[in-house]
Amino acid sequence: MSHFLVKKVAVLGAGVMGAQIAAHLVNCRVPVVLFDLPAKEGPKNGIVTKAIEGLKKLKPAPLGVADDAALIGQANYEEHLEQLLECDLVIEAIAERMDWKTGLYEKIAPFIAKGAIVASNTSGLSITTLSQALPDSLKPRFCGIHFFNPPRYMALVELINTPTTEAAVLDDLEAFVTTALGKGVVRAHDTPNFIANRVGIAGLLATMKQAEAFGLTYDVVDDLTGKKLGRASSGTFRTADVVGLDTMAHVIKTLQDNLGAGKIEDPFAALYGTPPVLAALLDAKSLGQKTGAGFYKKVGRDILRLDPQSMDYVPGGAKADEVVGRMLKKPAGERLGLLRHAQGAEPRFLWAVLRDQFHYAAVHLAGIAESARDIDLAMRWGFGASQGPFELWQEAGWLKVANWIKEDIDAGKALSNAPLPDWVFSGPVAAAGGVHTPEGSWSASSQQFIARRRLPVYERQHFPEAVLGAKAPSFAMAGTTLHEDDAIRLWTLDGPDGDVLIASIKTKMHAISPDVAEGLARGVALAEKSYKGLVIWSNDDNFSVGADLQAMLPAFMVGGAAMIDGVEAELQQVMLRLRYAAVPVVSAIRGLALGGGCELAVYSAKRVAALESYLGLVEVGVGLVPGAGGLAYIARRAAENAAKSSNKDVLPFLLDGFTAAAMATVGTSALDSRKLGFLLDSDVIVPNKHELLFVALNEARALYTSGYRAPLRRPFPVAGRNGLATIKGQLVNLRDGGFISGHDFHIASLIAGVVCGGDVDAGTLVTEDYLMTLERKAFCALLEHPKSQDRILGMMSTGKPVRN
């Protein structure tokens, strides 16, 4: 096995994509230098400097922590080409001009290090043609690498080889992009727009054409083609506005320039014409969200939609017929049948859109992708679909749907008269009932089912994302179960990883109920008896959203706050049980870890967090204070940090933690959560969420093997009444200035009282149990406060915080 180590990356081109790729490399702690042309005026690196400064202002934020922009190296092609010799990977991301790209390759070729990979982040230009500008010595190490925008958040990266690209180069690059950058990789053939944009933009154009044919307005189409259809919530036309109509037009032009008569044959070539309404918007410089107007326009608080007949903006917000919404909740086979045979325009429009995508994907499979798996995963990762087209087709009944498509083609209803390929109706696919099987997915070019590429990097993914029909093992059924109830499952993997116990919370959004707390305590006892550690992990994007307030309501109704005091005391003891367990407890965090979920994390021996993890103590939003040890943790960490400093005054080290709790601040990434103090420098941040369990198990095992001992229970100093007075003085100014409400002031004062240790002298030594008692007292007092009750009921009924 080769060991391709990327010590440094060069990104060529400080435009939107190049700068954001550099930002994501920094997020993943990969050293990077960003190149561009020398500025004509001022410092030579001026273009790069401006681009890096711009990263701090972009939304959604390309950087996990804005200050990390300083970690991006700056260079220009006139002065710094020698720096390329230090780079193991060079990513070219300049404008989509073949002549500009090839000219740059000729300039950089003498400075590429031996063994380095050179890759172009083109969205659709021919990789093979680009490679011709390189010397023969570099061609084997050149390929395409297509990141989707924005690179931090979009999972998809397409890798594209040329006839001269060495196979090992693609394998090495796939391993790096998967593990180090956290991406999902598909291999695309070197065809115009590759896989995702080829299928996705064709689908978008088809949707526009069908919307016009069925006379549907843009807002209704977006309602139909968003979450209801299992796609991105922005639907079709809103997505086009967000992407940018000029960007969309560029991708369409790539199709127009390369496909059709006298070019690469494509039976759907007529589909690639620029829609008249899009052409009119481009002429008017109405490019979507970036210019404030496109298919939609925001005026004040109102969102207006374009009327394509008058080209004026009119009130929007129309929704699809509720009957169609009910159809879309039916099982796949019944759903498609209802849409196809319905009388209304909306359901028939949806059938036409889905039929066109099935038809297009089947006809082009052999030419654009190695297998059907690549198309389905590309549409999931690149366009936010919950299922790829082949998955939905297969789930609905392969041959039944195939015959419906054939009937529409024969009747002239489809967008092309190209017949479905023969493999759709006969042979292995028909016999298997679809393109995805446990043995592999259908390759139309090789006429066989092929398994997922077996690279060592994928051994780190215990439960990788799989396509429907592959019958991949479900984490809910995998391994050996030691205990399971409605709240939690305690289990182990089979094989060598079975020496660490896993706890998977099963409640909705993994809320922490008394039953969950009891299950975690059981897990600690079981791990101490028979295993090397306990890992708390679940296979979705919610680690835990906090305490299950609804589960506490019956106790509150029966016994009031006194009853809740007992429930909270038990939960606090579970947190201490985790912290002082005889074996290491590791929280494997992915997505939201809020309130009690954050407390669960900070009381573990170690945390392993996916890059996109968001930790915070948010109880203020429901009119409460953290009640499961969160405030005790803030006070303890402040004391520990003060002990490492020459300044032994605890208060300066307390203020950030207090502010985070009082303002319900949530980290915008694992990096930002570390800055807030909810993750430590010793914790591990993992770019790829599918590797989280692998890393967490190994961290628990490593701690155990190194002779893990729980921290000793020791008292620590608090800020006391002097610190409390200082904080309350600042809160008074905020209240009197109208920045916070009276109830906000009351809650924040209670938080300050706990983290400062109550009415004691500064420097008084206290225990976690003492602070937890203060926490419970404040928590229960707020439970009985009418304004807090209003906040709780408001959140439970609407999901939105009430400010009172």
Side-chain angles (χ1 to χ4, degrees):
M1 183 181 110
S2 67
H3 183 61
F4 177 61
L5 181 63
V6 178
K7 299 185 289 295
K8 190 173 185 178
V9 177
V11 177
L12 311 182
V16 173
M17 279 302 291
Q20 291 198 63
I21 290 170
H24 187 63
L25 287 160
V26 164
N27 290 337
C28 299
R29 294 304 181 253
V30 178
V32 59
V33 56
L34 181 61
F35 279 79
D36 211 301
L37 295 165
K40 294 179 180 179
E41 298 179 358
K44 290 288 182 71
N45 286 338
I47 294 173
V48 175
T49 302
K50 183 178 179 181
I52 291 174
E53 285 301 307
L55 290 171
K56 301 176 185 178
K57 304 169 187 174
L58 285 179
K59 298 293 180 184
L63 289 159
V65 176
D67 291 346
D68 283 351
L71 300 177
I72 302 174
Q74 302 185 26
N76 64 79
Y77 304 127
E78 182 178 300
E79 300 176 308
H80 305 119
L81 286 179
E82 292 83 1
Q83 289 189 33
L84 294 175
L85 290 166
E86 305 169 4
C87 299
D88 308 290
L89 173 61
V90 177
I91 299 174
E92 171 271 304
I94 68 171
E96 293 286 89
R97 281 271 301 266
M98 183 73 72
D99 56 337
W100 290 358
K101 289 177 183 286
T102 55
L104 180 60
Y105 295 172
E106 291 169 0
K107 180 181 292 188
I108 66 170
F111 300 93
I112 301 300
K114 183 179 179 180
I117 294 175
V118 180
S120 174
N121 183 61
T122 176
S123 60
L125 295 179
S126 169
I127 303 301
T128 301
T129 303
L130 287 171
S131 72
Q132 300 309 309
L134 292 167
D136 290 343
S137 61
L138 280 178
K139 288 178 182 177
R141 290 179 280 126
F142 177 76
C143 63
I145 182 170
H146 182 210
F147 288 84
F148 266 60
N149 190 24
R152 171 183 166 185
Y153 301 97
M154 298 302 292
L156 179 63
V157 169
E158 296 174 314
L159 296 184
I160 310 98
N161 68 308
T162 75
T164 55
T165 307
E166 287 183 357
V169 166
L170 283 181
D171 290 348
D172 287 341
L173 192 54
E174 182 166 347
F176 170 72
V177 169
T178 299
T179 288
L181 304 187
K183 298 303 176 186
V185 172
V186 301
R187 302 273 186 99
H189 293 334
D190 188 12
T191 56
N193 288 344
F194 312 128
I195 296 175
N197 274 342
R198 180 73 175 271
V199 176
I201 294 299
L204 194 147
L205 288 169
T207 301
M208 289 183 173
K209 187 177 285 286
Q210 297 293 4
E212 182 180 2
F214 285 95
L216 300 180
T217 59
Y218 300 145
D219 45 5
V220 169
V221 169
D222 282 350
D223 189 44
L224 287 168
T225 59
K227 284 187 176 180
K228 286 185 172 71
L229 205 60
R231 298 182 178 179
S233 58
S234 50
T236 299
F237 294 97
R238 177 62 183 153
T239 296
D241 272 0
V242 171
V243 169
L245 303 189
D246 52 342
T247 302
M248 180 181 163
H250 169 78
V251 179
I252 294 171
K253 190 173 188 302
T254 301
L255 298 175
Q256 295 168 346
D257 290 346
N258 293 280
L259 302 172
K263 307 164 190 172
I264 301 172
E265 287 297 323
D266 187 334
F268 289 82
L271 175 63
Y272 306 140
T274 304
V277 65
L278 176 59
L281 288 169
L282 292 169
D283 288 342
K285 306 298 183 187
S286 297
L287 306 180
Q289 185 170 280
K290 68 178 78 174
T291 60
F295 289 107
Y296 294 95
K297 181 178 182 179
K298 187 173 183 181
V299 179
R301 295 185 177 181
D302 298 324
I303 303 294
L304 306 181
R305 66 165 175 83
L306 183 70
D307 177 359
Q309 306 303 320
S310 66
M311 293 302 291
D312 291 329
Y313 289 93
V314 299
K319 300 293 184 183
D321 192 313
E322 292 182 5
V323 173
V324 181
R326 290 196 291 270
M327 289 181 183
L328 293 175
K329 293 179 181 178
K330 300 289 185 181
E334 184 181 354
R335 182 194 324 153
L336 295 193
L338 288 169
L339 295 176
R340 183 172 189 262
H341 297 106
Q343 296 301 310
E346 291 179 16
R348 289 188 294 122
F349 157 78
L350 282 179
W351 161 252
V353 166
L354 293 171
R355 175 204 63 213
D356 294 341
Q357 190 178 51
F358 299 155
H359 186 194
Y360 191 91
V363 168
H364 287 96
L365 174 58
I368 67 174
E370 185 177 64
S371 77
R373 180 191 308 106
D374 291 315
I375 288 183
D376 280 345
L377 291 179
M379 296 311 294
R380 281 205 218 164
W381 293 337
F383 279 82
S386 59
Q387 284 183 307
F390 288 119
E391 290 181 286
L392 176 56
W393 182 350
Q394 182 166 333
E395 184 184 11
W398 184 263
L399 287 176
K400 176 177 69 175
V401 174
N403 283 312
W404 286 345
I405 299 169
K406 181 180 184 302
E407 289 173 13
D408 282 8
I409 295 170
D410 293 344
K413 296 179 180 178
L415 293 177
S416 168
N417 60 5
L420 289 172
D422 291 341
W423 56 260
V424 171
F425 295 101
S426 61
V429 170
V435 293
H436 301 305
T437 71
E439 293 73 36
S441 294
W442 182 250
S443 170
S445 55
S446 63
Q447 292 289 296
Q448 62 181 329
F449 293 106
I450 58 174
R452 182 188 185 190
R453 192 168 283 101
R454 299 187 184 280
L455 298 179
V457 64
Y458 293 123
E459 294 175 8
R460 295 167 60 91
Q461 299 183 5
H462 287 296
F463 302 98
E465 194 163 342
V467 289
L468 179 140
K471 296 186 178 177
S474 163
F475 91 97
M477 303 296 291
T480 301
T481 299
L482 284 306
H483 166 80
E484 186 169 15
D485 54 34
D486 290 340
I488 199 167
R489 181 187 182 217
L490 303 175
W491 60 290
T492 62
L493 288 168
D494 295 330
D497 283 321
D499 57 351
V500 177
L501 186 65
I502 304 168
S504 296
I505 301 172
K506 296 171 56 180
T507 53
K508 184 178 180 181
M509 300 184 78
H510 307 153
I512 302 172
S513 65
D515 289 340
V516 169
E518 182 181 336
L520 289 170
R522 183 195 293 260
V524 172
L526 190 56
E528 288 177 329
K529 180 180 179 182
S530 306
Y531 296 93
K532 294 180 179 179
L534 173 66
V535 168
I536 304 171
W537 171 86
S538 295
N539 194 29
D540 61 34
D541 289 328
N542 288 302
F543 176 70
S544 172
V545 295
D548 188 346
L549 291 176
Q550 203 146 10
M552 295 183 183
L553 276 179
F556 182 70
M557 298 301 291
V558 170
M563 186 70 76
I564 297 300
D565 183 85
V567 174
E568 283 295 295
E570 290 178 8
L571 184 54
Q572 290 174 340
Q573 290 307 306
V574 169
M575 297 298 175
L576 293 175
R577 186 82 174 87
L578 297 176
R579 173 166 165 75
Y580 295 108
V583 294
V585 177
V586 176
S587 281
I589 305 158
R590 168 178 162 186
L592 298 175
L594 305 178
C598 182
E599 290 166 318
L600 191 60
V602 300
Y603 275 88
S604 300
K606 193 162 192 175
R607 287 139 295 279
V608 175
L611 180 61
E612 296 305 329
S613 296
Y614 316 103
L615 285 76
L617 298 170
V618 297
E619 286 83 355
V620 169
V622 289
L624 299 173
V625 299
L631 300 183
Y633 167 79
I634 288 171
R636 174 172 58 79
R637 284 297 299 162
E640 291 169 350
N641 289 332
K644 299 173 187 175
S645 168
S646 58
N647 179 8
K648 301 306 180 185
D649 182 6
V650 174
L651 183 62
F653 300 93
L654 183 66
L655 291 176
D656 285 346
F658 160 76
T659 302
M663 300 294 292
T665 305
V666 176
T668 56
S669 66
L671 299 169
D672 192 42
S673 297
R674 174 180 278 166
K675 190 175 178 182
L676 291 172
F678 300 129
L679 297 176
L680 307 182
D681 288 342
S682 57
D683 293 331
V684 179
I685 295 177
V686 180
N688 194 315
K689 63 186 180 182
H690 295 300
E691 298 181 4
L692 195 61
L693 179 59
F694 171 87
V695 176
L697 291 170
N698 279 289
E699 288 293 322
R701 191 178 295 114
L703 286 170
Y704 178 89
T705 304
S706 63
Y708 176 79
R709 289 279 180 180
L712 295 173
R713 294 177 183 253
R714 66 177 70 205
F716 48 87
V718 290
R721 64 176 69 87
N722 291 344
L724 175 58
T726 299
I727 293 175
K728 287 191 74 171
Q730 296 172 350
L731 292 174
V732 167
N733 291 336
L734 290 173
R735 182 197 61 194
D736 293 350
F739 296 102
I740 61 175
S741 70
H743 195 50
D744 289 331
F745 172 82
H746 177 58
I747 297 170
S749 297
L750 290 175
I751 292 173
V754 176
V755 298
C756 290
D759 188 17
V760 296
D761 293 335
T764 297
L765 298 179
V766 301
T767 64
E768 289 168 304
D769 286 303
Y770 166 79
L771 289 174
M772 285 180 170
T773 300
L774 296 182
E775 266 189 11
R776 292 200 311 276
K777 182 178 178 182
F779 185 92
C780 293
L782 286 168
L783 264 182
E784 295 187 319
H785 197 294
K787 289 192 174 182
S788 285
Q789 291 174 358
D790 288 342
R791 290 192 182 188
I792 293 170
L793 292 173
M795 179 63 76
M796 291 174 65
S797 60
T798 68
K800 297 178 181 178
V802 174
R803 307 311 304 175
N804 57 3

